[in-house]
Amino acid sequence: MNPDRYAPIGVFDSGLGGLTVVREIMRNLPDERLVYFGDTARVPYGSKSKATVIRYSRQIVRFLRTQKVKAIVIACNTASALALDTIKPEIDIPIIGVVRPGTDMAVKATKNKRIGVIATESTIRSGLYQRLIREADGEIAVFAKACPLFVPLVEEGWTRDPVTKIVAERYLEDLLKQRIDTLIMGCTHYPLLRSLLQEVAGTDVTLINPAYETAQALGRMLNENGILNDGQIEVGERYRFFASDTVERFNAFANSILPYEITTTQVPIESY
């Protein structure tokens, strides 16, 4: 028996958005234990430099290793785009981000080879979504749009507000003029706007949720490494949550989108 099978998965994000990835892992891999870290003291990552995002990500990985995790999910598009390739060779456990699972599904989904990507400014600026899509199929045209206002609107709870719809219409206008038939929600907050975005984009546009695709890719990765939890042994606490700043707002947001009531422990992440 591989004891690592029953160890938790580490998941981290710059703040709250990665909880959409946690929600999909809970739904799709219900036997797995999770340790989540939200870097709420230093959010957002979307406006930070690559060097800073790599430094933050290394600190969080060091903290997650103290929790004896068997694998890590970077549940942040910015950190996936800027830090994953640097960190992957530095650690001896499997690690994945949220960008590639989303691009893989978008490439499969598009019929007219015209894909839109919405994300934070630094994720768009990194060009990673665009590059991975073109590497998979050079005939695909990719149209990218930074949508910085979506994150504060989601965190304000305005997912169905008329103001948010007006903002979405403005952001998507140019992408829809390009006749895209597939749209990647390239920030972990954006799936919480899914129904509104579908309404604005129309039924002819397929929305890709990298959070769901990441949960599926994680299951495959755990299985390939022989560390998928088979549910035969109950070991310790199932879900643990940590944040780098005050936890009241974190708990309120988490409890609004997750199927379980959670409590969060504050961690001095700069000491790692």
Side-chain angles (χ1 to χ4, degrees), residues 170-206:
R170 181 77 64 88
Y171 277 151
L172 297 189
E173 184 179 9
D174 289 343
L175 294 178
L176 296 173
K177 282 179 182 171
Q178 299 295 339
R179 297 182 294 107
I180 61 166
D181 74 344
T182 306
L183 179 65
I184 299 174
M185 296 180 287
C187 169
T188 47
H189 282 73
Y190 297 0
L192 298 171
L193 295 171
R194 184 182 188 119
S195 58
L196 184 144
L197 291 171
Q198 192 73 72
E199 195 179 313
V200 172
T203 53
D204 292 340
V205 176
T206 300

Side-chain angles (χ1 to χ4, degrees), residues 98-110:
V98 289
V99 175
R100 187 174 288 278
T103 58
D104 288 349
M105 182 49 65
V107 168
K108 286 179 191 166
T110 185

Side-chain angles (χ1 to χ4, degrees), residues 93-262:
I93 59 173
I95 182 169
I96 60 168
V98 289
V99 175
R100 187 174 288 278
T103 58
D104 288 349
M105 182 49 65
V107 168
K108 286 179 191 166
T110 185
K111 302 285 197 299
N112 71 357
K113 295 187 184 290
R114 301 178 77 80
I115 295 175
V117 181
I118 52 175
T120 63
E121 290 173 47
S122 64
T123 299
I124 297 298
R125 202 165 52 241
S126 77
L128 183 59
Y129 272 105
Q130 299 93 309
R131 178 167 63 77
L132 290 177
I133 290 168
R134 290 189 186 115
E135 282 175 5
D137 186 339
E139 293 181 8
I140 292 177
V142 187
F143 306 93
K145 178 73 177 175
C147 302
L149 291 176
F150 280 160
V151 169
L153 288 167
V154 167
E155 293 192 2
E156 197 62 44
W158 292 11
T159 55
R160 296 295 303 165
D161 194 273
V163 169
T164 309
K165 188 175 182 187
I166 291 167
V167 171
E169 287 169 345
R170 181 77 64 88
Y171 277 151
L172 297 189
E173 184 179 9
D174 289 343
L175 294 178
L176 296 173
K177 282 179 182 171
Q178 299 295 339
R179 297 182 294 107
I180 61 166
D181 74 344
T182 306
L183 179 65
I184 299 174
M185 296 180 287
C187 169
T188 47
H189 282 73
Y190 297 0
L192 298 171
L193 295 171
R194 184 182 188 119
S195 58
L196 184 144
L197 291 171
Q198 192 73 72
E199 195 179 313
V200 172
T203 53
D204 292 340
V205 176
T206 300
L207 295 189
I208 302 297
N209 178 1
Y212 171 78
E213 303 304 337
T214 299
Q216 298 297 313
L218 172 64
R220 293 191 293 271
M221 182 179 79
L222 296 174
N223 197 35
E224 286 162 10
N225 284 274
I227 52 175
L228 187 70
N229 192 329
D230 56 17
Q232 290 182 22
I233 297 178
E234 278 291 331
V235 191
E237 207 175 352
R238 178 148 293 227
Y239 304 124
R240 281 175 284 156
F241 292 84
F242 299 89
S244 53
D245 206 355
T246 50
V247 300
E248 290 78 11
R249 188 154 177 259
F250 184 96
N251 285 340
F253 184 81
N255 289 327
S256 74
I257 70 165
L258 295 179
Y260 304 94
E261 281 284 310
I262 69 131

